[in-house]
Amino acid sequence: MNETDPTRRFSADAVRKFDNPAESPTPGGMNSVARQVASQYRRDTMSPVMVSGVLRIGEFGLLFLSGLALYFHFVGFFNYLAWQYPLTIAAASFVAVVLLDVSDCYQISALMRPISNLGRVLMVWAGTFALMALTAFIMKMSEDYSRLLFGTWFVVGLLLLFGLRLVMSKLIRRWARNGRMERRAVIVGGGKAAEMLIRSVEKQPDNDIRICGIFDDRGDKRSPPIVAGYPKLGTISELMEFARIARIDMLIVSLPLTAETRVLQLLKKLWVLPVDIRLSAHSNALQFRPRAYSYIGSVPMLDIFDRPINDWDSVAKRAFDIVFSLIGIILFSPVMLATAIAIKLDSKGPVLFKQKRHGFNNEIVEVYKFRSMYTDRSDPTAKQTVTKNDPRVTRVGRFIRKSSIDELPQFFNSLFGTLSLVGPRPHAIAAQSHNLLYNEVVDGYFARHKVKPGVTGWAQINGWRGEMDTNEKIRMRTEYDLYYIENWSMLFDLRILLMTPLRLLNTENAY
C-alpha cells in the first residue's frame, strides 16, 4: 500500500516514535469498581472465528462420512471400492463447504437464523450437485455413477446440514446469553462521541460486542462518569492494568481523526496490549475507501492494531509447541539426566531452579532451568546480572550456561503451555540495567508480551543472548522481538527452531 495512504497514518513505527514517553503498564491501582468489573471478565471467551471454523470442519466431515456410508450401504462394504466414488464424495463435500463460506453461511448472524437461511443452504447444496454432474458429463464419466446413491445423498446431506445448524443456533444463542461467546470491548474516550458510538453499536441486530466500560483521562466536566449507561472506570493508565486482568478483545478509540496528537498519545500507551485496537470512524468527516474500514455491524472502524497470533494461528502454534516439545524431551532426555546427576554431585541443593518471569500479557509465570548457581547465592529476582567468571556460578553451572543446557527443562514449560518454543525470551520480573528496570530503559518494552514468551527467539539466533549489561543490548533485543511479533508465521518459527542449535555454537555472550 502507498505510504501516503491515510489509512496507514497510525503505523506501529509512528506510535513508537511519538515524543511523549510511555507510562508503565501498572503505574497505580485501579479503583474498586474497575477491579470488580475486571474480575467478571477473567475467563476466556469462545472466538466466533473459531466456532465457525470448527463448524466448517464438522460439516465437511458430516457430508463426507454420510456419503461414504451411503456408498457402503448401496454397494456393500466388502465389495470392490471404486476409487472415483470416495474421491468424488470428498471433492463434493469440500466444494459445498467452500460455497457455503462464499455465500456467507458461516457468519454468526446466519448461523443464528438457520430457518431463514435454509434457502441459501439449499441453493449451495444443489449447486454443488450441479457442478458435480457437469464435471462428470464433461469427463464422460456420468454413466459410472449411481443416480440413486447421489439422489439419496442429496436428501440426507441437506437434512444433516439443516439439523446441525439448528443445533448450532441454539448453542450460539446460549453461549451469547451466558457470555461464553462474545467480543469484549472497552471504549477509550468519553463524552458525546462515546455515547454516539455506543448507541450505534447497540442498534446492530445480533450484536456480539459486550462493552465493558469506558476509560478517559479527562475530568468529569468534559467526560461524564456515566455514558449511555456505562461507567467511566478510570484513566488510560488504569486501563493498562484493567486489560491485564480482564480478557479484553478490543479497544475502540472514540476520538476524531482531527485530534491526531491526542490519538497518537493514546496509541503510544495502548499498542503494547495484546488486543485489537480500532478507531471509530462513524462520526468522522474524512471518508476513506470502503475497503479501508472494518465493521461492527454497520459501524465503520479503522483498524489500527490487530492482536498477533490469534484464533487458528494460536491453535497451529500450540500444536507446533506440543509436537516439537515432545520431540525435544525425547531427544535430550539422556543429556538432561546426565546434567541432573552432575548438578547433584557438584553442589548441594535442588536440581531445578524456578524463576518468576513476565509471560503473555505481562502475567507472572514460573520458568524452569537447571540450577547453575550455589543455592545460597542464587538470585531469583535477577536484579544482579550474571557476568563473566561470576563467583555465584558453580563449576557445572558454568558449562551448562555456556552451552545453554541449563535451558533444556523449558521444553516442559512449552509442553505445559506457560512458554512457547519460539518467541521473545522471558525476562525476570525485576531484571535491571544500571539500576533501571528494562521497561524504564526501552520505550514500548512491554509490547514483547503481546505473545507468549519462548524458549528460543529471533533475537537469540541473531546474537542478542546472554548478559544484558548495556542499554543498547536491551533495545536491540526488544527490536528483534518486536520484529518477530509483527512478522510471525509458522515457517518463521520453524526457521528459528532449526537455526537455534547452530547459533548456540557461538558462546561469546553466554556466561
Side-chain angles (χ1 to χ4, degrees), residues 25 87 115 181 236 258 367 369 376 406 437 446 462 484-485 506:
L87 189 61
I115 295 177
M181 195 180 81
I236 304 304
T258 51
V367 173
K369 296 181 68 175
D376 57 348
D406 64 325
L437 294 172
F446 284 109
N462 281 280
Y484 166 78
I485 292 171
N506 179 9

Side-chain angles (χ1 to χ4, degrees), residues 43-327:
R43 191 174 67 172
D44 282 320
T45 59
M46 301 170 64
S47 165
V49 174
M50 295 292 290
V51 171
S52 62
V54 170
L55 182 60
R56 288 175 176 88
I57 297 171
E59 288 190 336
F60 170 80
L62 202 62
L63 292 174
F64 176 68
L65 292 176
S66 62
L68 208 58
L70 287 172
Y71 173 77
F72 289 142
H73 173 72
F74 283 105
V75 178
F77 188 81
F78 295 104
N79 288 350
Y80 174 69
L81 184 64
W83 65 269
Q84 69 264 28
Y85 271 97
L87 189 61
T88 300
I89 291 169
S93 302
F94 178 77
V95 169
V97 170
V98 171
L99 292 178
L100 286 168
D101 192 11
V102 171
S103 303
D104 292 331
C105 291
Y106 290 110
Q107 297 292 326
I108 295 299
S109 57
L111 295 176
M112 294 180 73
R113 298 188 185 89
I115 295 177
S116 60
N117 283 276
L118 176 59
R120 210 181 330 171
V121 174
L122 175 59
M123 287 181 62
V124 166
W125 191 226
T128 301
F129 274 74
L131 286 174
M132 188 166 53
L134 180 61
T135 303
F137 174 77
I138 293 173
M139 297 180 67
K140 298 181 179 180
M141 297 172 60
S142 56
E143 293 181 357
D144 297 333
Y145 291 99
S146 167
R147 290 169 178 78
L148 177 62
L149 167 59
F150 284 103
T152 306
W153 188 38
F154 178 84
V155 175
V156 171
L158 182 62
L159 291 174
L160 289 173
L161 285 173
F162 183 63
L164 180 59
R165 285 169 176 264
L166 281 176
V167 173
M168 283 301 301
S169 71
K170 293 182 181 296
L171 288 175
I172 289 171
R173 290 179 185 278
R174 182 189 302 171
W175 293 334
R177 282 196 303 270
N178 62 25
R180 290 194 63 192
M181 195 180 81
E182 61 187 8
R183 287 186 293 167
R184 296 170 181 165
V186 165
I187 307 296
V188 180
K192 194 67 177 177
E195 183 178 1
M196 291 174 58
L197 170 63
I198 292 170
R199 300 294 186 202
S200 299
V201 170
E202 289 183 336
K203 287 179 183 177
Q204 306 305 313
D206 300 319
N207 175 31
D208 68 336
I209 295 290
R210 181 185 291 271
I211 298 173
C212 301
I214 299 167
F215 287 83
D216 197 344
D217 282 335
R218 296 174 296 178
D220 290 349
K221 287 186 178 180
R222 297 182 62 194
S223 177
I226 302 291
V227 177
Y230 293 92
K232 185 173 71 174
L233 298 177
T235 64
I236 304 304
S237 295
E238 291 166 340
L239 167 59
M240 306 301 289
E241 185 178 353
F242 180 90
R244 299 198 187 282
I245 298 174
R247 299 298 188 184
I248 300 299
D249 301 298
M250 183 185 304
L251 301 180
I252 305 177
V253 180
S254 64
L255 294 174
L257 287 174
T258 51
E260 181 173 343
T261 300
R262 187 163 176 238
V263 170
L264 282 171
Q265 286 175 331
L266 290 175
L267 296 179
K268 179 68 175 179
K269 299 176 182 179
L270 299 175
W271 78 284
V272 301
L273 294 172
V275 297
D276 295 332
I277 299 181
R278 303 289 182 256
L279 180 61
S280 172
H282 77 289
S283 61
N284 286 310
L286 292 174
Q287 296 293 319
F288 301 134
R289 297 189 304 273
R291 66 179 183 178
Y293 298 105
S294 63
Y295 291 86
I296 297 176
S298 60
V299 180
M301 301 280 172
L302 287 174
D303 296 351
I304 308 300
F305 294 108
D306 289 324
R307 175 178 172 174
I309 315 180
N310 200 17
D311 295 327
W312 286 105
D313 286 342
S314 65
V315 173
K317 189 167 176 61
R318 182 67 187 127
F320 180 95
D321 289 342
I322 292 172
V323 170
F324 283 96
S325 295
L326 288 171
I327 292 173

Side-chain angles (χ1 to χ4, degrees), residues 14-27:
V15 175
R16 285 185 212 149
K17 293 176 182 176
F18 195 71
D19 291 333
N20 288 353
E23 295 184 29
S24 170
T26 55

Side-chain angles (χ1 to χ4, degrees), residues 387-406:
T387 58
K388 191 173 184 178
N389 298 320
D390 197 314
R392 297 173 299 165
V393 180
T394 65
R395 289 176 301 171
V396 171
R398 197 161 285 116
F399 172 76
I400 64 175
R401 291 179 71 91
K402 197 85 171 172
S403 58
S404 294
I405 291 175
D406 64 325

Side-chain angles (χ1 to χ4, degrees), residues 447-460:
R448 300 173 72 253
H449 304 149
K450 293 168 75 171
V451 299
K452 196 179 293 185
V455 177
T456 184
W458 183 237
Q460 282 63 46

